[in-house]
Amino acid sequence: SSADNLKGRRLRVSSSVVLGDVKRQQVSLLFDLENVEGNSVNSKVIGLITSQAYIKRGVRRFKGKKEDSFLIKCNEGNVRMKTIILLRKEVQRSLGAKLLKTTRELGIKACEGKGFEDLVLNVLNGGISKGIKDGLRKVYPVADVEIRYFCFGK
């Protein structure tokens, strides 16, 4: 039947629809549809993605950016986290490398020993990116830190 075709599919839904918070409509949640019971489908969150248009709008306001992608271990497995650091000015390569290294360390420290769903809520609320931004302030005063991708990965 058509309900059985849903099993194993992935669904991308705006977080404003799921959470009812219009202010976070730039973030989409990824769901893995697991099993079908009658007319209902059980699903679990496997990640979130920030829209490209939102990120481009933010980058346009500032002079520089640094992007990074790294794996984090949480209780359920490995999670791929992609961050973008928005800078008010262009920075030297050595300072950029130091910013990226500090971002990785802070991201890993913020996520270790926590469950995936708690981490997704923390990313949605801006807790992890705020913690990274506050930690980076000691290295260089960055304009903003966004987590543009946070999903189970390899």
Side-chain angles (χ1 to χ4, degrees):
S1 71
S2 61
D4 292 332
N5 294 339
L6 293 175
K7 189 174 181 180
R9 288 193 180 205
R10 289 197 171 162
L11 186 63
R12 185 174 175 170
V13 182
S14 173
S15 65
S16 64
V17 173
V18 176
L19 302 173
D21 185 10
V22 183
K23 291 181 181 178
R24 298 295 296 169
Q25 65 187 2
Q26 72 272 11
V27 178
S28 296
L29 292 169
L30 293 173
F31 290 95
D32 204 5
L33 304 179
E34 292 182 326
N35 55 0
V36 180
E37 296 172 1
N39 287 337
S40 65
V41 178
N42 293 340
S43 63
K44 72 174 186 176
V45 177
I46 58 166
L48 56 87
I49 299 173
T50 305
S51 79
Q52 285 293 114
Y54 175 77
I55 290 174
K56 285 181 180 177
R57 230 181 348 255
V59 169
R60 202 177 304 139
R61 289 176 34 217
F62 301 108
K63 298 279 187 239
K65 69 175 180 173
K66 293 286 175 192
E67 295 182 84
D68 198 11
S69 173
F70 50 95
L71 279 176
I72 294 174
K73 286 190 170 81
C74 74
N75 290 347
E76 286 87 6
N78 288 337
V79 177
R80 171 74 55 189
M81 181 187 233
K82 296 182 181 180
T83 58
I84 183 166
I85 306 166
L86 301 176
L87 306 165
R88 290 186 176 88
K89 297 179 182 177
E90 283 290 332
V91 295
Q92 292 180 347
R93 185 174 288 178
S94 60
L95 182 58
K98 194 170 185 182
L99 286 170
L100 293 178
K101 182 181 176 195
T102 308
T103 301
R104 281 184 184 211
E105 290 169 357
L106 293 169
I108 290 169
K109 194 167 115 182
C111 296
E112 66 186 357
K114 294 183 180 163
F116 182 72
E117 290 187 9
D118 294 336
L119 291 174
V120 168
L121 285 174
N122 208 351
V123 171
L124 275 173
N125 295 334
I128 293 178
S129 54
K130 184 181 183 314
I132 292 172
K133 183 180 176 183
D134 291 344
L136 287 177
R137 193 171 290 143
K138 296 170 186 162
V139 178
Y140 184 81
V142 299
D144 199 12
V145 175
E146 286 288 335
I147 296 172
R148 61 183 183 90
Y149 183 86
F150 191 81
C151 195
F152 277 119
K154 297 175 175 109

